[in-house]
Amino acid sequence: MTATPATSGTPAVPAQQPWEPALSVRQVLGLERVLAGQPEVVAGAHRLDRPVRWVHVAEAADVGVMLSGGEMVLTTGVLLAGDEDKQGEYIRSLHRAEAAAVVLGLGRAFPAPPDVMRRAADRCGLPMVVLHRPFPFAELTEEVQSRLLRRKFAAVSLSEAVRTELTGLITAGAPVQRLLDEVARHGGCPVVVTNLAHRVLATAGERPAVDDVLRDWERIARQAGAGTADGWIRAELTCRGERWGRLVLCGYRGDRAAGRLLAERAAEALVLHRLLGGGDGRRGAGPGSAGGTWDSPGSWEEQSARSLLTDLVSGAVPARQLLPRARAAGLPVNRRVFVPLVVGTRDTARLDRVLRLLGLPGIVAGLADDRAAVLLSLAPDQDARALTAHFAARLRSAADAAHTVVAAADARADWADVPAGLREAQQVADAVADSPAALELPPVVRLRDVHLRGLVRLLRDDPHVQSFAERELDGLLQGSDGDLLSVLRTYLATGRNKSRTAQLHHVSRPALYRRLEAIQGRLGVDLDDFEQAASVHIALLAHDAQQG
């Protein structure tokens, strides 16, 4: 085997940092005092990144019984010279004890690297280093031990500092996203919170790095769970004796013991956050936070869905970049058809139950104005319209949900079209929100069902439309009698049916006539003229859309 100089490609050990990796064999060999001994790696060169837990000077042939693993053993071999059996057993003993490496000082006992020890070390995969120039082993032992102790003390100190910082954030009412952002900052790696089924509930860290993690999340989650993924450290989330999730540091590059301490502190903080009721997620929300509380696993899942749907609707993040998050959240995305819905209810738990009852894959999230968004994921051969109607009918079967309206967009076969679909469903829901005929609408309403009201909703932010509405309704908007505006709204919505309008407002026909005359006088229009009535109706729809 060709010997490998220890100095080849080995940088000098940088200044001590509390979150750097633990000292490896390679780093120890790069210390100035070791370089003075002209080290040469003669076996196990591929294992130089093994961590060194301790440095131990030993000459006895049965040294392995005195070790507990991770030690770098220093020896002159004075008790091994002339006995090849002892030399081979010495190396095998170190291997059985899981020593990190063996360093042999050449001299009177061994003027050259002994072949028996080198071959045994090579077979065992144990790094073997020889020193061509003698130097006091005590100096190396002292330096390495002091470095290791400083690292251990720094890790524990930082762990306590993290605990104090996270506790302070919790008592200040910070949202859970802020806690996770701090953990990701300290760890220098993405942080993922999952439920027990590996569904992603929350993430933190640099967005490109998080996306890389989520892109292959199923495989990564299995490896992390089996403990086979390098740099992946997890901590269980347990509350009142019940395990409900996991926190994972993804690709952590620091000392593993320090990483475990960080993960444990983070898990403690999340459990405490939950026990204290979660706090208001809107206050000081960090990236990806969508408001609301996080005080139970269910609400964590809703927050994850809401964050995803909010990002889809806003367009702040391209849809393709959100695909890994959708997959990690448990939504089937390969060869699927997506149906965006907005439902007139704040009961997201009921929506989840209906989806499970019907066996429909989807995610649910609460929106503002007592509404919820639902994104269904269907197979291409499933009838999207029929299943949406079935979902709406099942939702309406409850006595207190008999008039719940489901606003739907047409099914999207391309994930990139989902944001436009969600926005369309929101526009339909907006258009029917204040419609006097809302109770008469079908269970599933689409853009074509809202006609003029839907068009006005789409154009409500246009300055020309806003100016038109103000100009047409100026005579009523300047007054203080809101009842006249309400009468006008009903009269136009009922197709200028005076009897129906009087009935809905609980007034007599003569009283209604007087109010209509007042309205016409203030606006300067004749409501019996179709064109003038239509103009006022459009202006009123635009005004309501802008107000709502």
Side-chain angles (χ1 to χ4, degrees):
M1 178 178 178
T2 304
T4 304
T7 56
S8 177
T10 304
V13 176
Q16 178 67 36
Q17 297 293 332
W19 292 94
E20 287 179 353
L23 282 176
S24 65
V25 175
R26 189 186 308 277
Q27 287 176 309
V28 171
L29 297 181
L31 294 175
E32 185 176 350
R33 291 185 179 180
V34 179
L35 291 176
Q38 297 181 359
E40 178 187 5
V41 179
V42 296
H46 61 293
R47 305 294 300 276
L48 294 183
D49 292 320
R50 301 173 83 175
V52 175
R53 188 182 61 82
W54 208 244
V55 177
H56 190 66
V57 179
E59 302 289 356
D62 58 349
V63 63
V65 299
M66 298 181 285
L67 306 180
S68 57
E71 295 90 351
M72 173 179 278
V73 177
L74 311 180
T75 182
T76 62
V78 65
L79 300 181
L80 305 175
D83 192 330
E84 293 187 349
D85 290 338
K86 284 186 177 181
Q87 294 170 21
E89 178 56 27
Y90 184 84
I91 296 297
R92 290 189 291 272
S93 175
L94 294 180
H95 172 64
R96 289 192 297 269
E98 298 182 348
V102 58
V103 178
L104 174 66
L106 300 181
R108 285 178 295 178
F110 290 103
D115 287 340
V116 172
M117 295 181 68
R118 182 182 59 77
R119 288 195 299 268
D122 202 34
R123 285 193 297 269
C124 294
L126 176 71
M128 179 176 175
V129 182
V130 296
L131 300 175
H132 289 277
R133 294 183 60 184
F135 73 91
F137 282 170
E139 292 184 6
L140 174 59
T141 302
E142 180 183 5
E143 179 164 347
V144 173
Q145 313 300 48
S146 64
R147 285 176 178 266
L148 292 174
L149 286 173
R150 287 200 304 271
R151 285 173 180 265
K152 183 175 294 187
F153 177 76
V156 173
S157 297
L158 188 53
S159 168
E160 291 307 307
V162 169
R163 170 187 278 166
T164 301
E165 181 179 353
L166 296 182
T167 303
L169 289 174
I170 293 172
T171 55
V176 73
Q177 185 66 45
R178 176 77 183 281
L179 271 64
L180 294 176
D181 289 340
E182 286 301 307
V183 174
R185 183 178 66 82
H186 281 296
C189 65
V191 178
V192 176
V193 178
T194 75
N195 62 13
L196 297 181
H198 304 300
R199 175 174 291 189
V200 175
L201 304 180
T203 62
E206 296 293 333
R207 178 51 56 191
V210 172
D211 288 344
D212 286 342
V213 168
L214 297 184
R215 194 166 288 115
D216 197 17
W217 176 250
E218 291 184 7
R219 179 186 63 81
I220 288 173
R222 286 194 296 270
Q223 289 185 348
T228 58
D230 183 34
W232 294 74
I233 302 174
R234 73 175 191 173
E236 302 297 326
L237 300 174
T238 304
C239 188
R240 298 188 178 96
E242 178 184 359
R243 189 164 58 95
W244 59 270
R246 301 181 181 92
L247 179 140
V248 186
L249 302 182
C250 305
Y252 179 75
R253 297 305 176 195
D255 172 59
R256 190 166 184 83
R260 283 196 296 269
L261 287 174
L262 177 62
E264 289 169 4
R265 296 296 86 80
E268 290 172 1
L270 295 185
V271 171
L272 178 60
H273 193 278
R274 180 183 171 192
L275 287 172
L276 294 178
D280 185 356
R282 293 179 179 86
R283 183 170 52 200
S289 178
T293 59
W294 300 65
D295 56 348
S296 69
S299 63
W300 279 66
E301 291 174 355
E302 182 179 342
Q303 285 286 4
S304 176
R306 181 172 181 175
S307 174
L308 173 61
L309 292 177
T310 299
D311 285 346
L312 278 170
V313 172
S314 69
V317 182
R320 290 295 178 190
Q321 293 185 21
L322 296 172
L323 198 57
R325 285 173 59 187
R327 185 183 293 110
L331 186 72
V333 296
N334 294 331
R335 295 184 295 278
R336 307 293 288 187
V337 172
F338 305 98
V339 183
L341 309 173
V342 173
V343 186
T345 179
R346 63 186 302 174
D347 191 350
T348 55
R350 172 183 290 166
L351 298 177
D352 269 325
R353 286 195 299 270
V354 173
L355 289 179
R356 287 196 297 270
L357 184 64
L358 299 178
L360 295 177
I363 55 176
V364 178
L367 302 176
D369 301 326
D370 294 338
R371 290 185 295 186
V374 180
L375 182 61
L376 301 180
S377 174
L378 307 177
D381 59 349
Q382 290 181 292
D383 190 333
R385 281 184 171 270
L387 289 174
T388 303
H390 191 29
F391 169 77
R394 193 79 191 203
L395 190 62
R396 280 193 167 195
S397 64
D400 59 344
H403 301 296
T404 301
V405 175
V406 175
D410 291 334
R412 262 56 179 180
D414 190 336
W415 174 259
D417 295 331
V418 170
L422 285 167
R423 288 192 290 270
E424 180 181 315
Q426 280 191 315
Q427 290 158 1
V428 174
D430 286 343
V432 302
D434 56 1
S435 172
L439 300 183
E440 301 171 7
L441 289 168
V444 179
V445 184
R446 292 180 169 82
L447 197 58
R448 65 177 60 88
D449 299 318
V450 296
H451 306 295
L452 178 61
R453 187 179 297 273
L455 175 63
V456 172
R457 281 281 175 172
L458 289 175
L459 300 176
R460 64 182 175 179
D461 294 327
D462 188 298
H464 295 89
V465 175
Q466 295 171 357
S467 176
F468 169 77
E470 291 290 323
R471 185 173 61 252
E472 288 290 302
L473 301 175
D474 183 65
L476 287 181
L477 298 179
Q478 293 297 329
S480 59
D481 191 352
D483 182 58
L484 291 181
L485 198 63
S486 177
V487 169
L488 175 63
R489 184 180 291 111
T490 305
Y491 179 63
L492 295 173
T494 58
R496 296 182 293 172
N497 187 319
K498 294 184 175 73
S499 297
R500 180 61 173 158
T501 302
Q503 181 183 10
L504 290 174
H505 282 269
H506 308 289
V507 298
S508 64
R509 290 283 292 270
L512 175 65
Y513 294 156
R514 288 193 296 271
R515 294 182 187 185
L516 290 176
E517 289 174 1
I519 291 170
Q520 292 180 107
R522 290 194 183 186
L523 297 181
V525 299
D526 179 5
L527 293 178
D528 289 331
D529 181 88
F530 176 79
E531 185 174 338
Q532 294 184 55
S535 181
V536 172
H537 193 187
I538 294 172
L540 186 57
L541 290 176
H543 170 75
D544 289 343
Q546 293 156 15
Q547 296 300 312

